Amino acid sequence: QQQFLVWATYSIIYAFCLSPLRHFPGPKLWAISRIPSNLSVISGHNHLDILALHKKYGPILRLGPNELAFNTAEAFRDIYGTRPGGCFPKNRSNYIAP
């Protein structure tokens, strides 16, 4: 129990003070845990929630401890544009295996 409290405290301090993503805007609860994002996905309103967050926080949004969302044409070209060797591969953890 004490170890969990230490881990949770460290995770919160890291997310707000030490993380390289700490300067990006977004909801604080989403920045420290994946739980709010996962609940949004389970509810089926994730696309609407992210759209509302972009309207509130701007084109670059922190959606999780290690996740950013971009809402600009330039970001789309930077991420998915043509480059030698093709585009970045899709992250398979975001898809259900057959």
Coordinates of all heavy atoms in Angstrom, one line a residue:
Q1 N 0.8 -1.2 0.0 CA 0.0 0.0 0.0 C 0.9 1.3 0.0 O 0.6 2.2 -0.7 CB -0.9 0.0 1.2 CG -1.9 1.1 1.2 CD -2.8 1.1 2.4 OE1 -2.6 0.3 3.3 NE2 -3.9 1.8 2.4
Q2 N 1.9 1.2 0.8 CA 2.8 2.4 0.9 C 3.6 2.5 -0.4 O 3.8 3.6 -0.9 CB 3.8 2.2 2.0 CG 4.7 3.5 2.2 CD 5.6 3.3 3.4 OE1 5.7 2.2 4.0 NE2 6.3 4.4 3.8
Q3 N 4.0 1.4 -1.1 CA 4.7 1.5 -2.3 C 3.8 2.1 -3.4 O 4.3 2.8 -4.3 CB 5.1 0.1 -2.7 CG 6.2 -0.5 -1.9 CD 6.6 -1.9 -2.2 OE1 5.8 -2.6 -2.8 NE2 7.7 -2.3 -1.8
F4 N 2.5 1.7 -3.4 CA 1.6 2.3 -4.4 C 1.5 3.8 -4.2 O 1.5 4.6 -5.2 CB 0.2 1.7 -4.3 CG -0.8 2.3 -5.2 CD1 -0.8 2.0 -6.5 CD2 -1.7 3.2 -4.7 CE1 -1.7 2.6 -7.4 CE2 -2.7 3.8 -5.5 CZ -2.7 3.5 -6.9
L5 N 1.4 4.3 -3.0 CA 1.3 5.7 -2.7 C 2.6 6.4 -3.2 O 2.5 7.5 -3.8 CB 1.1 5.9 -1.2 CG 0.9 7.4 -0.8 CD1 -0.4 7.9 -1.5 CD2 0.7 7.4 0.7
V6 N 3.7 5.8 -3.0 CA 5.0 6.4 -3.4 C 5.0 6.5 -5.0 O 5.4 7.5 -5.6 CB 6.2 5.6 -2.9 CG1 7.5 6.1 -3.6 CG2 6.3 5.8 -1.4
W7 N 4.6 5.4 -5.6 CA 4.6 5.3 -7.1 C 3.6 6.4 -7.6 O 3.9 7.1 -8.6 CB 4.2 3.9 -7.5 CG 3.9 3.9 -9.0 CD1 4.9 3.8 -10.0 CD2 2.7 4.0 -9.7 NE1 4.3 3.8 -11.2 CE2 2.9 3.9 -11.1 CE3 1.4 4.1 -9.2 CZ2 1.9 3.9 -12.0 CZ3 0.4 4.1 -10.2 CH2 0.6 4.1 -11.5
A8 N 2.4 6.5 -7.0 CA 1.4 7.4 -7.5 C 1.9 8.8 -7.3 O 1.7 9.7 -8.3 CB 0.1 7.2 -6.8
T9 N 2.5 9.1 -6.2 CA 3.0 10.5 -6.0 C 4.1 10.8 -7.0 O 4.2 11.9 -7.5 CB 3.6 10.6 -4.5 OG1 2.5 10.3 -3.6 CG2 4.1 12.0 -4.2
Y10 N 5.0 9.9 -7.2 CA 6.1 10.1 -8.2 C 5.5 10.3 -9.6 O 6.0 11.2 -10.3 CB 7.1 8.9 -8.2 CG 8.1 9.0 -9.3 CD1 9.2 9.9 -9.2 CD2 7.9 8.3 -10.5 CE1 10.0 10.0 -10.3 CE2 8.8 8.4 -11.5 CZ 9.9 9.2 -11.4 OH 10.7 9.4 -12.5
S11 N 4.6 9.5 -10.0 CA 4.0 9.6 -11.3 C 3.3 11.0 -11.5 O 3.5 11.6 -12.6 CB 2.9 8.6 -11.5 OG 3.5 7.3 -11.5
I12 N 2.7 11.5 -10.5 CA 2.0 12.8 -10.6 C 3.1 13.9 -10.7 O 3.0 14.8 -11.5 CB 1.1 13.1 -9.4 CG1 -0.1 12.1 -9.5 CG2 0.6 14.5 -9.3 CD1 -1.0 12.1 -8.3
I13 N 4.1 13.9 -9.8 CA 5.2 14.9 -9.8 C 5.9 14.8 -11.2 O 6.2 15.9 -11.8 CB 6.2 14.6 -8.7 CG1 5.5 15.0 -7.4 CG2 7.4 15.5 -8.8 CD1 6.2 14.6 -6.1
Y14 N 6.2 13.6 -11.7 CA 6.8 13.5 -13.0 C 6.0 14.1 -14.1 O 6.5 14.9 -14.9 CB 7.1 12.0 -13.3 CG 7.8 11.9 -14.6 CD1 9.2 12.0 -14.7 CD2 7.1 11.5 -15.8 CE1 9.9 11.9 -15.9 CE2 7.8 11.4 -17.0 CZ 9.1 11.6 -17.1 OH 9.8 11.5 -18.3
A15 N 4.7 13.8 -14.1 CA 3.8 14.3 -15.2 C 3.8 15.8 -15.2 O 3.8 16.4 -16.3 CB 2.4 13.7 -15.0
F16 N 3.8 16.5 -14.0 CA 3.6 17.9 -14.0 C 4.9 18.7 -14.0 O 5.0 19.8 -14.4 CB 2.8 18.3 -12.7 CG 1.4 17.9 -12.8 CD1 0.8 17.4 -11.7 CD2 0.6 18.1 -14.0 CE1 -0.6 17.0 -11.8 CE2 -0.7 17.8 -14.0 CZ -1.3 17.2 -12.9
C17 N 6.0 18.1 -13.5 CA 7.3 18.8 -13.3 C 8.4 18.3 -14.1 O 9.3 19.1 -14.5 CB 7.7 18.8 -11.8 SG 6.5 19.4 -10.7
L18 N 8.5 17.1 -14.5 CA 9.7 16.5 -15.1 C 9.5 16.0 -16.5 O 10.4 15.9 -17.3 CB 10.3 15.4 -14.2 CG 10.6 15.7 -12.8 CD1 11.0 14.5 -12.0 CD2 11.7 16.8 -12.8
S19 N 8.3 15.7 -16.9 CA 8.0 15.1 -18.2 C 8.4 16.1 -19.3 O 8.1 17.3 -19.2 CB 6.5 14.8 -18.3 OG 6.2 14.4 -19.6
P20 N 8.9 15.5 -20.4 CA 9.2 16.4 -21.6 C 7.9 17.0 -22.2 O 8.0 18.0 -22.9 CB 9.9 15.5 -22.6 CG 10.1 14.2 -21.9 CD 9.4 14.2 -20.6
L21 N 6.8 16.4 -21.9 CA 5.5 16.9 -22.4 C 4.8 17.9 -21.5 O 3.7 18.3 -21.8 CB 4.6 15.7 -22.7 CG 5.1 14.7 -23.7 CD1 4.1 13.6 -23.9 CD2 5.5 15.3 -25.0
R22 N 5.4 18.3 -20.4 CA 4.7 19.1 -19.4 C 4.3 20.4 -19.9 O 3.4 21.0 -19.3 CB 5.6 19.2 -18.1 CG 6.9 20.0 -18.4 CD 7.8 20.0 -17.2 NE 9.0 20.8 -17.4 CZ 10.1 20.2 -18.0 NH1 10.1 19.0 -18.3 NH2 11.2 21.0 -18.1
H23 N 4.9 21.0 -20.9 CA 4.6 22.3 -21.4 C 3.4 22.3 -22.4 O 2.9 23.4 -22.7 CB 5.8 22.9 -22.1 CG 7.0 23.1 -21.1 ND1 7.0 23.9 -20.0 CD2 8.2 22.5 -21.1 CE1 8.1 23.9 -19.4 NE2 8.9 23.0 -20.0
F24 N 2.9 21.1 -22.8 CA 1.8 21.1 -23.7 C 0.5 21.2 -23.0 O 0.3 20.6 -21.9 CB 1.9 19.8 -24.6 CG 3.0 19.8 -25.5 CD1 4.2 19.1 -25.2 CD2 2.9 20.5 -26.7 CE1 5.3 19.1 -26.1 CE2 4.0 20.4 -27.6 CZ 5.2 19.8 -27.3
P25 N -0.5 22.0 -23.5 CA -1.7 22.1 -22.8 C -2.6 20.9 -22.9 O -2.5 20.1 -23.8 CB -2.4 23.3 -23.5 CG -1.8 23.2 -24.9 CD -0.4 22.7 -24.7
G26 N -3.5 20.8 -21.9 CA -4.5 19.7 -21.9 C -5.0 19.5 -20.5 O -4.5 20.2 -19.5
P27 N -6.0 18.7 -20.3 CA -6.6 18.5 -19.0 C -5.6 17.8 -18.1 O -4.9 16.9 -18.5 CB -7.8 17.6 -19.2 CG -7.9 17.4 -20.7 CD -6.7 18.0 -21.4
K28 N -5.5 18.3 -16.9 CA -4.5 17.8 -15.9 C -4.7 16.3 -15.6 O -3.8 15.5 -15.5 CB -4.5 18.6 -14.6 CG -4.1 20.0 -14.8 CD -2.8 20.2 -15.4 CE -2.4 21.7 -15.6 NZ -1.3 21.9 -16.5
L29 N -6.0 15.9 -15.5 CA -6.3 14.5 -15.1 C -5.8 13.6 -16.3 O -5.3 12.5 -16.1 CB -7.7 14.3 -14.8 CG -8.2 13.0 -14.2 CD1 -7.4 12.7 -12.9 CD2 -9.6 13.0 -13.9
W30 N -6.0 14.0 -17.5 CA -5.6 13.2 -18.7 C -4.1 13.2 -18.7 O -3.5 12.2 -19.2 CB -6.2 13.8 -20.0 CG -7.6 13.7 -20.1 CD1 -8.6 14.0 -19.2 CD2 -8.3 13.2 -21.3 NE1 -9.8 13.7 -19.8 CE2 -9.7 13.3 -21.1 CE3 -7.9 12.8 -22.6 CZ2 -10.6 12.9 -22.0 CZ3 -8.8 12.5 -23.5 CH2 -10.2 12.5 -23.2
A31 N -3.4 14.2 -18.2 CA -1.9 14.2 -18.3 C -1.3 13.2 -17.3 O -0.2 12.8 -17.6 CB -1.4 15.6 -18.0
I32 N -2.0 12.9 -16.3 CA -1.4 12.0 -15.3 C -1.8 10.5 -15.4 O -1.2 9.7 -14.8 CB -1.6 12.5 -13.8 CG1 -3.1 12.5 -13.5 CG2 -0.9 13.8 -13.6 CD1 -3.4 12.8 -12.0
S33 N -2.9 10.3 -16.2 CA -3.4 8.9 -16.2 C -4.0 8.6 -17.6 O -4.6 9.6 -18.2 CB -4.4 8.7 -15.1 OG -5.0 7.5 -15.2
R34 N -4.0 7.4 -18.0 CA -4.7 7.0 -19.3 C -6.2 6.7 -19.0 O -6.9 6.5 -19.9 CB -4.0 5.8 -19.9 CG -2.6 6.0 -20.3 CD -2.5 6.5 -21.7 NE -3.3 5.8 -22.6 CZ -3.8 6.3 -23.7 NH1 -3.5 7.6 -24.0 NH2 -4.5 5.6 -24.5
I35 N -6.6 6.6 -17.7 CA -7.9 6.3 -17.4 C -9.0 7.2 -18.0 O -9.9 6.7 -18.6 CB -8.1 6.2 -15.8 CG1 -7.3 5.0 -15.3 CG2 -9.6 6.0 -15.5 CD1 -7.2 4.9 -13.8
P36 N -8.9 8.5 -17.9 CA -9.9 9.3 -18.6 C -10.0 9.1 -20.1 O -11.1 9.1 -20.6 CB -9.4 10.8 -18.3 CG -8.6 10.6 -17.1 CD -7.9 9.3 -17.2
S37 N -8.9 8.9 -20.7 CA -8.9 8.7 -22.2 C -9.5 7.3 -22.5 O -10.4 7.2 -23.4 CB -7.5 8.7 -22.7 OG -7.4 8.4 -24.1
N38 N -9.2 6.3 -21.7 CA -9.8 5.0 -21.9 C -11.3 5.0 -21.6 O -12.1 4.4 -22.4 CB -9.1 4.0 -21.0 CG -7.7 3.7 -21.5 OD1 -7.3 3.9 -22.6 ND2 -6.9 3.1 -20.6
L39 N -11.7 5.7 -20.6 CA -13.2 5.9 -20.4 C -13.9 6.6 -21.5 O -15.0 6.2 -21.9 CB -13.4 6.6 -19.1 CG -13.0 5.9 -17.8 CD1 -13.2 6.8 -16.6 CD2 -13.9 4.6 -17.6
S40 N -13.2 7.6 -22.1 CA -13.8 8.3 -23.3 C -14.0 7.3 -24.4 O -15.0 7.3 -25.1 CB -12.9 9.4 -23.6 OG -13.4 10.1 -24.8
V41 N -13.0 6.4 -24.7 CA -13.0 5.5 -25.7 C -14.2 4.5 -25.5 O -15.0 4.2 -26.4 CB -11.7 4.7 -25.9 CG1 -11.8 3.5 -26.8 CG2 -10.6 5.7 -26.4
I42 N -14.3 4.0 -24.3 CA -15.3 3.0 -23.9 C -16.7 3.6 -24.1 O -17.6 2.9 -24.5 CB -15.1 2.5 -22.5 CG1 -13.8 1.6 -22.4 CG2 -16.3 1.7 -22.0 CD1 -13.4 1.2 -21.0
S43 N -16.8 4.8 -23.7 CA -18.1 5.5 -23.9 C -18.6 5.7 -25.3 O -19.7 6.0 -25.6 CB -18.2 6.8 -23.1 OG -17.4 7.8 -23.8
G44 N -17.6 5.7 -26.2 CA -17.9 5.9 -27.6 C -17.9 7.3 -28.0 O -18.3 7.7 -29.2
H45 N -17.5 8.2 -27.2 CA -17.4 9.6 -27.4 C -16.0 10.2 -27.5 O -15.9 11.4 -27.5 CB -18.2 10.4 -26.4 CG -19.7 10.0 -26.3 ND1 -20.2 9.3 -25.2 CD2 -20.7 10.2 -27.2 CE1 -21.5 9.1 -25.4 NE2 -21.8 9.7 -26.6
N46 N -15.1 9.4 -27.8 CA -13.7 9.8 -27.8 C -13.4 10.9 -28.8 O -12.8 11.9 -28.6 CB -12.7 8.6 -28.0 CG -11.3 9.0 -27.8 OD1 -11.0 9.7 -26.8 ND2 -10.4 8.5 -28.6
H47 N -14.0 10.7 -30.0 CA -13.8 11.7 -31.1 C -14.4 13.0 -30.7 O -13.8 14.1 -31.0 CB -14.3 11.2 -32.4 CG -15.8 10.9 -32.4 ND1 -16.4 9.9 -31.6 CD2 -16.8 11.5 -33.0 CE1 -17.7 9.9 -31.8 NE2 -18.0 10.8 -32.6
L48 N -15.5 13.0 -30.1 CA -16.2 14.3 -29.6 C -15.4 14.9 -28.5 O -15.3 16.2 -28.4 CB -17.6 14.0 -29.2 CG -18.5 13.4 -30.4 CD1 -19.9 13.1 -29.8 CD2 -18.6 14.4 -31.5
D49 N -15.0 14.1 -27.6 CA -14.2 14.6 -26.4 C -12.9 15.3 -26.9 O -12.5 16.4 -26.5 CB -13.9 13.5 -25.4 CG -15.1 13.0 -24.7 OD1 -16.1 13.7 -24.7 OD2 -15.0 11.9 -24.2
I50 N -12.2 14.6 -27.8 CA -10.9 15.2 -28.3 C -11.2 16.5 -29.1 O -10.5 17.5 -29.0 CB -10.2 14.2 -29.2 CG1 -9.7 13.1 -28.2 CG2 -9.0 14.8 -29.9 CD1 -9.0 11.9 -28.9
L51 N -12.3 16.5 -29.9 CA -12.6 17.7 -30.6 C -12.9 18.9 -29.7 O -12.4 20.0 -29.9 CB -13.8 17.5 -31.5 CG -14.3 18.7 -32.4 CD1 -13.2 19.1 -33.3 CD2 -15.6 18.3 -33.1
A52 N -13.7 18.6 -28.6 CA -14.0 19.7 -27.6 C -12.7 20.1 -26.9 O -12.5 21.3 -26.6 CB -15.0 19.1 -26.6
L53 N -11.8 19.2 -26.6 CA -10.5 19.6 -26.0 C -9.6 20.4 -26.9 O -9.0 21.4 -26.5 CB -9.7 18.3 -25.5 CG -10.4 17.6 -24.4 CD1 -9.7 16.2 -24.1 CD2 -10.4 18.4 -23.1
H54 N -9.6 20.1 -28.2 CA -8.9 20.9 -29.2 C -9.5 22.3 -29.2 O -8.7 23.3 -29.3 CB -8.9 20.3 -30.5 CG -7.8 19.3 -30.8 ND1 -6.5 19.6 -30.7 CD2 -7.8 18.0 -31.0 CE1 -5.7 18.6 -31.0 NE2 -6.5 17.6 -31.2
K55 N -10.8 22.4 -29.2 CA -11.4 23.8 -29.2 C -11.0 24.6 -27.9 O -10.9 25.8 -28.0 CB -12.9 23.6 -29.3 CG -13.4 23.2 -30.6 CD -14.9 23.1 -30.7 CE -15.4 22.7 -32.1 NZ -16.8 22.5 -32.2
K56 N -10.9 23.9 -26.8 CA -10.5 24.5 -25.6 C -9.1 24.9 -25.4 O -8.7 26.0 -25.0 CB -11.0 23.7 -24.4 CG -10.7 24.3 -23.0 CD -11.2 23.4 -21.9 CE -11.0 24.1 -20.6 NZ -11.5 23.3 -19.4
Y57 N -8.2 23.9 -25.8 CA -6.7 24.0 -25.6 C -5.9 24.4 -26.8 O -4.7 24.7 -26.6 CB -6.2 22.8 -25.0 CG -6.7 22.5 -23.6 CD1 -7.7 21.5 -23.3 CD2 -6.2 23.2 -22.5 CE1 -8.2 21.3 -22.1 CE2 -6.7 22.9 -21.2 CZ -7.7 22.0 -21.0 OH -8.1 21.7 -19.7
G58 N -6.5 24.3 -28.0 CA -5.7 24.6 -29.2 C -5.3 23.4 -30.0 O -5.7 22.3 -29.8
P59 N -4.4 23.7 -31.0 CA -4.1 22.6 -32.0 C -3.2 21.5 -31.5 O -3.2 20.5 -32.1 CB -3.5 23.4 -33.2 CG -2.9 24.6 -32.5 CD -3.8 25.0 -31.4
I60 N -2.5 21.8 -30.5 CA -1.6 20.7 -29.9 C -2.1 20.4 -28.5 O -2.3 21.4 -27.7 CB -0.1 21.2 -29.8 CG1 0.4 21.5 -31.2 CG2 0.7 20.1 -29.2 CD1 1.8 22.1 -31.2
L61 N -2.4 19.2 -28.2 CA -3.1 18.8 -27.0 C -2.4 17.6 -26.4 O -2.1 16.6 -27.0 CB -4.5 18.4 -27.4 CG -5.5 17.9 -26.4 CD1 -5.8 18.9 -25.3 CD2 -6.8 17.5 -27.1
R62 N -2.3 17.6 -25.1 CA -1.7 16.5 -24.3 C -2.9 15.6 -23.9 O -3.7 16.0 -23.1 CB -0.9 17.0 -23.1 CG -0.2 15.8 -22.4 CD 0.7 16.3 -21.3 NE 1.3 15.2 -20.7 CZ 2.1 15.3 -19.6 NH1 2.3 16.5 -19.1 NH2 2.7 14.3 -19.1
L63 N -2.9 14.4 -24.4 CA -4.0 13.5 -24.1 C -3.7 12.4 -23.1 O -4.6 11.7 -22.7 CB -4.5 12.8 -25.4 CG -5.2 13.6 -26.4 CD1 -5.6 12.8 -27.6 CD2 -6.4 14.2 -25.8
G64 N -2.5 12.3 -22.7 CA -2.1 11.3 -21.8 C -0.7 11.5 -21.3 O 0.0 12.5 -21.7
P65 N -0.2 10.7 -20.4 CA 1.2 10.9 -19.9 C 2.2 10.9 -21.0 O 3.2 11.6 -20.9 CB 1.4 9.7 -18.9 CG 0.0 9.2 -18.6 CD -0.8 9.5 -19.8
N66 N 2.0 10.2 -22.1 CA 3.0 10.1 -23.1 C 2.3 10.2 -24.5 O 2.8 9.6 -25.5 CB 3.7 8.7 -23.1 CG 4.5 8.5 -21.8 OD1 5.2 9.4 -21.4 ND2 4.3 7.3 -21.2
E67 N 1.3 11.0 -24.6 CA 0.6 11.1 -25.9 C 0.2 12.6 -26.1 O -0.3 13.3 -25.3 CB -0.7 10.3 -25.8 CG -1.5 10.2 -27.0 CD -2.7 9.3 -26.9 OE1 -2.8 8.6 -25.9 OE2 -3.5 9.2 -27.9
L68 N 0.4 13.0 -27.4 CA 0.0 14.3 -27.9 C -1.0 14.1 -29.1 O -0.9 13.1 -29.8 CB 1.1 15.1 -28.4 CG 2.2 15.5 -27.3 CD1 3.3 16.3 -28.0 CD2 1.5 16.4 -26.2
A69 N -1.9 15.0 -29.3 CA -2.7 15.0 -30.5 C -2.5 16.4 -31.2 O -2.5 17.4 -30.5 CB -4.2 14.9 -30.0
F70 N -2.4 16.3 -32.5 CA -2.2 17.5 -33.3 C -3.5 17.7 -34.2 O -4.0 16.7 -34.7 CB -1.0 17.3 -34.2 CG 0.3 17.2 -33.4 CD1 0.7 16.0 -32.9 CD2 1.0 18.4 -33.1 CE1 1.9 15.9 -32.1 CE2 2.2 18.3 -32.3 CZ 2.6 17.0 -31.8
N71 N -3.8 18.9 -34.4 CA -5.0 19.2 -35.2 C -4.7 20.3 -36.3 O -5.4 21.3 -36.4 CB -6.1 19.7 -34.3 CG -7.5 19.8 -35.0 OD1 -7.6 19.3 -36.1 ND2 -8.4 20.4 -34.3
T72 N -3.6 20.0 -37.0 CA -3.3 21.0 -38.1 C -2.9 20.2 -39.3 O -2.4 19.1 -39.3 CB -2.1 21.9 -37.7 OG1 -0.9 21.1 -37.5 CG2 -2.4 22.7 -36.4
A73 N -3.0 20.9 -40.5 CA -2.6 20.3 -41.8 C -1.1 20.0 -41.8 O -0.6 19.0 -42.3 CB -3.0 21.1 -42.9
E74 N -0.3 21.0 -41.2 CA 1.1 20.8 -41.2 C 1.5 19.6 -40.4 O 2.4 18.9 -40.8 CB 1.8 22.1 -40.6 CG 1.6 23.3 -41.4 CD 0.3 24.0 -41.1 OE1 -0.4 23.7 -40.1 OE2 -0.1 24.8 -41.9
A75 N 0.9 19.3 -39.3 CA 1.2 18.2 -38.5 C 0.9 16.9 -39.3 O 1.7 15.9 -39.2 CB 0.4 18.2 -37.2
F76 N -0.2 16.9 -40.0 CA -0.6 15.7 -40.8 C 0.5 15.4 -41.8 O 0.9 14.3 -42.0 CB -1.9 15.9 -41.5 CG -2.4 14.7 -42.1 CD1 -3.2 13.7 -41.5 CD2 -2.2 14.5 -43.5 CE1 -3.6 12.6 -42.1 CE2 -2.6 13.3 -44.1 CZ -3.3 12.4 -43.4
R77 N 1.0 16.4 -42.5 CA 2.0 16.2 -43.5 C 3.3 15.8 -42.8 O 4.0 14.9 -43.4 CB 2.2 17.5 -44.3 CG 1.2 17.8 -45.4 CD 1.6 18.9 -46.3 NE 1.7 20.2 -45.7 CZ 0.7 21.0 -45.5 NH1 -0.5 20.7 -45.9 NH2 0.9 22.2 -44.9
D78 N 3.7 16.4 -41.7 CA 4.9 16.0 -41.0 C 4.8 14.5 -40.5 O 5.8 13.8 -40.6 CB 5.2 16.9 -39.8 CG 5.5 18.3 -40.2 OD1 6.0 18.5 -41.4 OD2 5.4 19.2 -39.3
I79 N 3.7 14.1 -40.1 CA 3.6 12.7 -39.5 C 3.4 11.7 -40.6 O 4.0 10.6 -40.6 CB 2.4 12.7 -38.5 CG1 2.7 13.6 -37.3 CG2 2.1 11.2 -38.1 CD1 1.6 13.8 -36.4
Y80 N 2.5 12.0 -41.6 CA 2.1 11.0 -42.6 C 2.6 11.3 -44.0 O 2.3 10.5 -44.9 CB 0.6 10.9 -42.6 CG 0.0 10.4 -41.3 CD1 -0.7 11.2 -40.5 CD2 0.2 9.1 -40.9 CE1 -1.3 10.8 -39.3 CE2 -0.3 8.6 -39.7 CZ -1.1 9.5 -38.9 OH -1.6 9.0 -37.8
G81 N 3.4 12.3 -44.1 CA 3.9 12.7 -45.5 C 4.8 11.7 -46.1 O 5.3 10.8 -45.4
T82 N 5.1 11.9 -47.4 CA 6.0 10.9 -48.0 C 7.4 11.2 -47.6 O 7.8 12.3 -47.4 CB 5.9 11.1 -49.6 OG1 6.2 12.5 -49.9 CG2 4.5 10.8 -50.1
R83 N 8.1 10.1 -47.4 CA 9.5 10.1 -47.0 C 10.1 8.8 -47.5 O 9.4 7.8 -47.7 CB 9.6 10.3 -45.5 CG 8.8 9.4 -44.7 CD 9.0 9.4 -43.2 NE 8.8 10.4 -42.3 CZ 7.8 11.3 -42.1 NH1 6.8 11.3 -42.9 NH2 7.8 12.2 -41.2
P84 N 11.4 8.8 -47.6 CA 12.1 7.5 -48.0 C 11.7 6.4 -47.0 O 11.8 6.6 -45.8 CB 13.6 7.9 -47.9 CG 13.6 9.4 -48.0 CD 12.3 9.9 -47.4
G85 N 11.3 5.3 -47.5 CA 10.9 4.2 -46.7 C 9.5 4.2 -46.3 O 9.0 3.3 -45.6
G86 N 8.7 5.2 -46.7 CA 7.3 5.2 -46.4 C 6.9 5.9 -45.1 O 7.8 6.6 -44.5
C87 N 5.7 5.8 -44.7 CA 5.2 6.5 -43.5 C 5.5 5.7 -42.3 O 6.0 4.6 -42.4 CB 3.6 6.6 -43.6 SG 3.0 7.6 -44.9
F88 N 5.3 6.3 -41.2 CA 5.5 5.6 -39.9 C 4.5 4.4 -39.8 O 3.4 4.6 -40.2 CB 5.2 6.5 -38.7 CG 6.2 7.6 -38.6 CD1 5.9 9.0 -38.6 CD2 7.6 7.4 -38.3 CE1 6.8 10.0 -38.5 CE2 8.5 8.4 -38.2 CZ 8.1 9.7 -38.3
P89 N 5.0 3.3 -39.3 CA 4.0 2.2 -39.1 C 3.0 2.5 -38.1 O 3.2 3.3 -37.1 CB 4.9 1.0 -38.7 CG 6.1 1.7 -38.1 CD 6.3 3.0 -38.8
K90 N 1.8 1.9 -38.2 CA 0.7 2.1 -37.2 C 1.1 1.4 -35.9 O 1.7 0.4 -35.9 CB -0.6 1.6 -37.8 CG -1.2 2.3 -38.9 CD -2.5 1.8 -39.3 CE -3.1 2.6 -40.5 NZ -4.4 2.1 -40.9
N91 N 0.7 2.0 -34.8 CA 0.9 1.4 -33.5 C -0.1 0.3 -33.3 O -1.3 0.6 -33.2 CB 0.8 2.5 -32.4 CG 1.1 2.0 -31.1 OD1 1.2 0.8 -30.8 ND2 1.2 2.9 -30.1
R92 N 0.3 -0.9 -33.3 CA -0.7 -2.0 -33.2 C -1.4 -2.1 -31.8 O -2.4 -2.8 -31.7 CB 0.1 -3.3 -33.5 CG 0.5 -3.5 -34.9 CD -0.8 -3.6 -35.7 NE -0.5 -3.6 -37.1 CZ -1.4 -3.3 -38.0 NH1 -2.5 -2.8 -37.7 NH2 -1.1 -3.3 -39.3
S93 N -0.9 -1.4 -30.8 CA -1.6 -1.4 -29.5 C -2.9 -0.7 -29.6 O -3.7 -0.8 -28.7 CB -0.7 -0.9 -28.4 OG -0.5 0.5 -28.6
N94 N -3.1 0.1 -30.6 CA -4.4 0.8 -30.8 C -5.5 0.0 -31.5 O -6.6 0.5 -31.7 CB -4.2 2.1 -31.5 CG -3.3 3.1 -30.7 OD1 -3.4 3.1 -29.4 ND2 -2.6 3.9 -31.3
Y95 N -5.2 -1.2 -31.9 CA -6.1 -2.0 -32.7 C -6.3 -3.3 -32.1 O -5.4 -3.9 -31.5 CB -5.6 -2.2 -34.1 CG -5.3 -0.9 -34.9 CD1 -4.1 -0.3 -34.8 CD2 -6.3 -0.2 -35.5 CE1 -3.8 0.9 -35.5 CE2 -6.1 1.0 -36.1 CZ -4.9 1.6 -36.1 OH -4.7 2.8 -36.7
I96 N -7.5 -3.8 -32.2 CA -7.9 -5.1 -31.7 C -7.3 -6.2 -32.6 O -7.6 -6.1 -33.9 CB -9.4 -5.3 -31.5 CG1 -9.9 -4.3 -30.5 CG2 -9.7 -6.7 -31.1 CD1 -11.4 -4.2 -30.4
A97 N -6.6 -7.2 -32.1 CA -6.1 -8.2 -33.0 C -7.2 -9.1 -33.4 O -8.1 -9.4 -32.7 CB -5.0 -9.0 -32.2
P98 N -7.1 -9.6 -34.7 CA -8.1 -10.5 -35.2 C -8.1 -11.9 -34.5 O -7.2 -12.3 -33.9 CB -7.8 -10.7 -36.7 CG -6.3 -10.2 -36.8 CD -6.0 -9.4 -35.6

